[in-house]
Amino acid sequence: MKSKSDLPGKNLQRRDFLKATAVTGLGLAVAPRLAFGRKQADRKVNIAFIGVGGRGRSHLRNLLNRDDVFVPAICDIDPEAIQKSQNMLQKAGARQAEVFTGSDFAYRDLLEKKDIDGVIIATPWLWHTRMAVDAMKAGIMAGVEVSAANTIEECWDMVNTHEETGTHVMILENVCYRRDVMAVLNMVRQDVFGELMHARCGYRHDLRGVKFNPGVTFGEGARGEARWRTQHSIYRNGDLYPTHGVGPIATMMDINRGNRFVSLTSHATKSRGLHNYIINHPEGGPNHPNAKIKWELGDVVTTLINTAKGETILVTHDTNLPRPYSLNFEVQGEKGLADFDYHTRRIYIEGISKPHQWDGMDRNEGETGQTDQMEQSAADTKSWLEKYDHPLWKKYGEYAAGSGHGGMDFFVDHAFVESVKRGDPPPLDAYDAAAWSAITPLSERSITEGNAPQYFPDFTRGKWINNKPLFATKGDDY
Ligand SMILES: NC(=O)c1ccc[n+]([C@@H]2O[C@H](COP(=O)([O-])OP(=O)(O)OC[C@H]3O[C@@H](n4cnc5c(N)ncnc54)[C@H](O)[C@@H]3O)[C@@H](O)[C@H]2O)c1
C-alpha cells in the first residue's frame, strides 16, 4: 500500500520545511517509506477530536497525513474551529466528520458513538481530566494535551479511572520527542553521564501576546488561548505549565519506573509583567480597565523537586516577561553534563572533553550561534547529537520535519495512533500524566504555605519500584 507520505507534493513541502527546522549537524536519514499499519495488517483506526482550536487542528493535520486513520467525528463549541477543521478534511480528500457542538457537554454524545477507537483532547486545561475520564469510561483511549490535570483529585481521577476501566490515557507531551531531547535520553541510557544527580528545565516563554489577543483583551470575545488561559494568571500562583520541561526529564530519570517524584518546594517572584504589558500597550494604558487587575501569578516561579533516587530537578515557569523562548534543559551526572536548548547545545564529559571546556553537541557550530566559541571534541568525528540520535528520529526524521514544533509533533501523534492500533499501553501513561501534572497544585500550595515542602502522592501505589521504563524503548517502532 502506498502511503500518503509518498505523494510528491507532500514530500516536497516537507523537505522545504525541513531545511528551515532541522536540528543542525544531525545529518538526514534518507526519506523513509512509511507503511503504517503493517504490524496489524491494514488496521485503520477511528480517531475523534474534542477541541479543534489551534492545537487540535495541528494534531488533525498530522493525522490526515496518515493512511491508517479515519476522523469520523469532531467536537468543539466554536463554529469557526469546526469549519476550519472540515475544510482541512475536505482538502485532504477525507469524508466530512460528524459534528458535535452546541454545548460544553456535546462531547459526551460524541463519546457514545460506537465506532471510535481513540480521541484527542485539545481543549482548555479545566476540561482535560473530565473529558479524558469520560472517554476512558466509554472504553475509548484518550490522548490528552498538556497539562492533563489541575488538582491532585483530578490526578487521582485519571489514575483510578484508568485502573477501573482498563482503558488507557496518554499525555501528549511532544517535547519528550524533541530530537536533541531524545539524543540526550539515549546518552543517559548509554551511561554517558554516569548516575544522574541533577536536572534543570522549565517553560520560559513570553506569552504576553498569547494571554492578550487582540490588544490587551482576554476572556470572552478574545482570540485563541486568551479566551481561557489568561484567567489562570489572575487566580493561581504556581508552575501552571510544568510538563514541557519535566516530561523529558522524567523519562530520563525513570519517574514511575524505578524512581518517583517525592517532594517539592516552590518560590514565586512578585507579579509585574502582565500589568506592565497592559499599561504600555497602545490599545491599553494606565486607565484601561484591565490595568486594575491584580495578577496572582508570580512572573518567575521556581520549583525544586526531590526524587526517590536522590536527584534534584529545578523547574522554572516564566511566561510574563520579555524574553526569548527557552526550555532551559540541563542534565548532570557523575561524569559530566549536557546543557541544551534550541540555540545552545553543549556537553562536558570528564576524560572526553578538554578539561573545563564545553564541547558543542552539534557538528555545524556556525549555525547555533554560541557554539562557535566551543571546542568540538577532536577525538570524535561524529557530533554528539549524531552519534546518539535516537532510532526513531533516524527512521522518521525527514518525514516528521513538517509536522510541527520542529518535528516532535509527528512522534507524539505516531505513538498515540500506534498504541490505539495495537491496544498497547501508551509510552506516556496515566501515571505520567498524574505525576507531572501534580506539580501545578503542589507548587501552588507550597507558595501559599511560605515555600513549605509538599509531598507527591505515589500514584503508582508502589508499582514504581518494579515498573520498567517504557518510553522510547521499542527501537525505531514508536
Ligand atoms: N503540546 C504543545 O506544544 C501545545 C501547544 C499549544 C497548546 N497546547 C495545549 O493544547 C490545549 C489547547 O490549546 P489551544 O492552543 O488549541 O487552545 P485554543 O483556545 O486555540 O483551542 C481550544 C479549543 O477548545 C474548544 N473548547 C472549549 N471548551 C470546549 C468544550 N467544552 N467542548 C469542546 N470544545 C471546547 C474551544 O472552542 C477551542 O476551539 C491546551 O491544553 C494547551 O495547553 C499544547
Side-chain angles (χ1 to χ4, degrees):
M1 181 183 8
K2 207 167 167 67
S3 154
K4 284 186 184 182
S5 64
D6 291 326
L7 295 176
K10 292 197 173 184
N11 268 344
L12 195 65
Q13 228 178 349
R14 276 188 202 107
R15 286 205 189 96
D16 290 346
F17 189 78
L18 181 71
K19 283 184 195 141
T21 58
V23 173
T24 50
L26 280 172
L28 299 174
V30 175
R33 292 184 64 78
L34 297 178
F36 298 124
R38 197 170 270 163
K39 285 257 159 167
Q40 284 209 352
D42 293 331
R43 173 150 159 78
K44 296 188 186 222
V45 281
N46 289 330
I47 308 283
F49 281 75
I50 305 176
V52 280
R55 187 64 184 153
R57 290 200 301 277
S58 152
H59 288 295
L60 178 62
R61 182 164 52 97
N62 290 339
L63 265 49
L64 288 175
N65 269 331
R66 301 179 64 106
D67 58 9
D68 54 356
V69 172
F70 289 127
V71 179
I74 55 178
C75 170
D76 200 298
I77 52 171
D78 177 0
E80 198 182 322
I82 295 279
Q83 193 50 56
K84 284 182 178 169
S85 306
Q86 295 285 42
N87 293 346
M88 288 169 68
L89 286 155
Q90 187 181 21
K91 221 170 147 193
R95 264 205 310 269
Q96 293 287 279
E98 189 176 349
V99 170
F100 294 83
T101 189
S103 102
D104 275 337
F105 291 92
Y107 78 89
R108 285 186 172 158
D109 298 329
L110 177 149
L111 294 174
E112 280 179 17
K113 263 179 81 69
K114 291 283 168 282
D115 56 350
I116 296 176
D117 302 297
V119 62
I120 288 187
I121 298 165
T123 47
W125 298 335
L126 295 181
W127 284 100
H128 286 182
T129 307
R130 188 192 294 247
M131 289 171 168
V133 161
D134 286 343
M136 284 188 276
K137 284 183 177 165
I140 298 170
M141 180 168 156
V144 65
E145 258 305 336
V146 299
S147 289
N150 300 274
T151 64
I152 296 297
E153 291 76 9
E154 283 193 339
C155 293
W156 275 119
D157 284 350
M158 197 120 43
V159 164
N160 289 337
T161 310
H162 157 63
E163 291 182 351
E164 281 158 22
T165 60
T167 306
H168 291 288
V169 57
M170 174 169 170
I171 180 165
L172 299 175
E173 184 40 81
N174 46 347
V175 183
C176 293
Y177 291 95
R178 208 171 89 177
R179 193 169 203 161
D180 55 354
V181 165
M182 292 198 83
V184 173
L185 172 72
N186 235 352
M187 293 180 204
V188 169
R189 289 183 174 165
Q190 293 181 38
D191 205 32
V192 170
F193 305 105
E195 198 176 346
L196 293 188
M197 309 297 285
H198 177 70
R200 186 194 68 210
C201 61
Y203 184 66
R204 315 193 76 176
H205 190 182
D206 176 0
L207 289 179
R208 294 172 303 164
V210 170
K211 292 187 185 186
F212 301 108
N213 181 13
V216 295
T217 59
F218 66 95
E220 216 170 310
R223 288 195 205 121
E225 296 192 357
R227 290 172 294 182
W228 55 269
R229 188 174 189 145
T230 320
Q231 299 282 350
H232 291 264
S233 307
I234 299 179
Y235 296 108
R236 308 175 74 187
N237 192 9
D239 188 327
L240 301 185
Y241 207 54
T243 70
H244 284 332
V246 155
I249 299 300
T251 65
M252 294 175 199
M253 290 189 174
D254 295 330
I255 297 303
N256 297 330
R257 295 173 180 82
N259 198 2
R260 76 179 196 90
F261 295 147
V262 173
S263 64
L264 64 69
T265 55
S266 276
H267 299 252
T269 67
K270 57 198 164 189
S271 176
R272 291 287 180 273
L274 299 182
H275 176 76
N276 289 346
Y277 186 79
I278 292 164
I279 61 171
N280 294 323
H281 196 285
E283 292 170 35
N287 297 322
H288 191 281
N290 289 350
K292 296 191 182 66
I293 294 170
K294 184 184 171 306
W295 300 93
E296 196 62 33
L297 177 65
D299 286 343
V300 181
V301 175
T302 312
T303 298
L304 193 58
I305 300 175
N306 291 300
T307 71
K309 284 174 77 176
E311 300 102 352
T312 52
I313 308 168
L314 186 64
V315 194
T316 306
H317 180 267
D318 168 1
T319 59
N320 297 344
L321 297 171
R323 59 158 303 122
Y325 181 85
S326 166
L327 297 186
N328 204 30
F329 286 115
E330 186 172 276
V331 173
Q332 184 166 24
E334 294 169 297
K335 301 184 201 169
L337 73 167
D339 173 12
F340 57 108
D341 216 329
Y342 280 119
H343 300 292
T344 309
R345 280 188 276 266
R346 53 190 191 171
I347 185 166
Y348 177 81
I349 301 296
E350 191 172 45
I352 298 177
S353 311
K354 288 185 186 160
H356 304 286
Q357 286 187 33
W358 292 105
D359 278 355
M361 285 167 78
D362 306 84
R363 180 202 286 279
N364 196 344
E365 290 113 305
E367 285 180 53
T368 56
Q370 296 196 27
T371 45
D372 51 9
Q373 305 154 8
M374 301 164 200
E375 300 267 355
Q376 188 80 21
S377 172
D380 197 343
T381 52
K382 273 187 174 176
S383 78
W384 286 92
L385 289 179
E386 261 184 307
K387 189 169 168 194
Y388 291 96
D389 198 19
H390 194 276
L392 269 171
W393 270 94
K394 282 189 188 150
K395 181 170 174 184
Y396 292 119
E398 183 165 3
Y399 178 80
S403 71
H405 291 113
M408 59 195 181
D409 288 359
F410 162 80
F411 293 97
V412 78
D413 286 324
H414 181 57
F416 178 68
V417 171
E418 291 301 323
S419 304
V420 172
K421 275 162 74 174
R422 302 167 198 209
D424 282 351
L428 305 171
D429 63 11
Y431 305 96
D432 298 318
W436 307 351
S437 303
I439 292 167
T440 299
L442 295 178
S443 82
E444 287 181 271
R445 203 183 301 155
S446 175
I447 290 166
T448 305
E449 295 178 4
N451 323 113
Q454 305 296 325
Y455 294 88
F456 285 81
D458 174 7
F459 294 107
T460 72
R461 300 180 171 96
K463 292 201 201 86
W464 65 273
I465 295 168
N466 292 319
N467 280 347
K468 298 285 172 268
L470 186 59
F471 177 76
T473 53
K474 295 173 195 276
D476 67 1
D477 197 357
Y478 70 95

